[in-house]
Amino acid sequence: ETGVTQTPRHLVMGMTNKKSLKCEQHLGHNAMYWYKQSAKKPLELMFVYSLEERVENNSVPSRFSPECPNSSHLFLHLHTLQPEDSALYLCASSQDGFAGGHGDTQYFGPGTRLTVL
Amino acid sequence: AQKITQTQPGMFVQEKEAVTLDCTYDTSDPSYGLFWYKQPSSGEMIFLIYQGSYDQQNATEGRYSLNFQKARKSANLVISASQLGDSAMYFCAMRESQFQGAQKLVFGQGTRLTINP
């Protein structure tokens, strides 16, 4: 595997279900991100982990729970979601600590398309 | 206030023609970076090109170039000799100063580019 992978690619769940999204990066990066992409809205940053520590949580509802067990893996645990949570969820990683340049470019996975019924 | 503005929701271009996708940004930080990403229908965000605020020359990557006009706060993407495979959503993003070892990207609304044969 290369780059950033995400599983599953598609997920349909009811509002009472519990599911998890998985992201794995094979780039040796030290920071990982969760984004939400809804129709007709810009990408919204949800969570940021740097060196496995959460450094940003953009006021995301508690029904979304991230987990970063190590620098290569990132999970997003979902429970009691709402239909408006249906979206494409993108994971990204970067190598941070660069003083300029694009050495800290974020590289994205293919996303998980989530539908909440 | 919106920090990244992409004023063209959609563009239609004939194959082999050059195309310019507009992006304006707003920041008071003297150190920032500008990125362009391509998102095909598959969903993955693909990094195309980067321009740093202190870079003296416009960035180029193969058929992609960035027309950086700092005083106007614009960073337009130019694709030369367009191909059918260039049909996708294109996003402009800005990185402001890093925070706690990770970066924060702000994305524009995107431009849907369609290349006609």
Side-chain angles (χ1 to χ4, degrees), chain A residues 9 33 35 37 40-43 48 50 55-56 88 90 94 96-98 101-102 104-106 108-110, chain B residues 2 35 37 39 41-47 50 61 91 95 98-105 107-109:
Chain A
R9 294 294 309 276
Y33 310 77
Y35 288 88
Q37 186 178 29
K40 299 182 181 180
K41 292 178 71 174
L43 262 72
V48 181
S50 178
V55 297
E56 180 83 353
L88 180 67
L90 290 161
S94 67
D96 288 306
F98 280 73
H102 69 93
D104 58 355
T105 296
Q106 290 186 21
F108 286 79
Chain B
Q2 192 165 353
F35 299 80
Y37 286 87
Q39 187 178 40
S41 56
S42 59
E44 182 177 359
M45 298 282 280
I46 302 167
F47 166 68
Y50 167 85
E61 290 285 352
F91 291 92
R95 177 198 68 213
Q98 293 184 337
F99 62 107
Q100 298 185 55
Q103 57 164 293
K104 185 171 183 178
L105 282 183
F107 284 82
Q109 294 269 17

Side-chain angles (χ1 to χ4, degrees), chain B:
Chain B
Q2 192 165 353
K3 293 197 170 186
I4 295 285
T5 303
Q6 294 181 252
T7 58
Q8 306 151 311
M11 286 195 68
F12 296 84
V13 174
Q14 212 61 29
E15 190 179 8
K16 299 181 184 177
E17 289 183 352
V19 57
T20 299
L21 305 182
D22 296 340
C23 173
T24 57
Y25 59 92
D26 182 31
T27 182
S28 57
D29 194 332
S31 177
Y32 54 89
L34 297 157
F35 299 80
W36 277 92
Y37 286 87
K38 171 185 178 181
Q39 187 178 40
S41 56
S42 59
E44 182 177 359
M45 298 282 280
I46 302 167
F47 166 68
L48 296 178
I49 196 167
Y50 167 85
Q51 181 82 44
S53 58
Y54 295 120
D55 292 344
Q56 296 295 314
Q57 293 186 322
N58 287 344
T60 60
E61 290 285 352
R63 293 187 299 113
Y64 304 108
S65 60
L66 207 151
N67 184 1
F68 181 46
Q69 298 188 43
K70 196 170 182 178
R72 294 186 177 184
K73 293 189 175 179
S74 73
N76 299 339
L77 176 71
V78 180
I79 306 174
S80 63
S82 58
Q83 302 171 357
L84 296 178
D86 294 333
S87 295
M89 282 290 289
Y90 287 81
F91 291 92
C92 179
M94 179 172 64
R95 177 198 68 213
E96 294 183 299
S97 52
Q98 293 184 337
F99 62 107
Q100 298 185 55
Q103 57 164 293
K104 185 171 183 178
L105 282 183
V106 178
F107 284 82
Q109 294 269 17
T111 295
R112 181 171 296 282
L113 175 64
T114 302
I115 308 298
N116 295 317

Side-chain angles (χ1 to χ4, degrees), chain A residues 52-73:
Chain A
E52 301 151 43
E53 181 180 339
R54 190 194 307 182
V55 297
E56 180 83 353
N57 172 1
N58 278 350
S59 302
V60 178
S62 60
R63 57 186 183 269
F64 295 92
S65 175
E67 179 190 1
C68 187
N70 55 61
S71 60
S72 299
H73 295 86

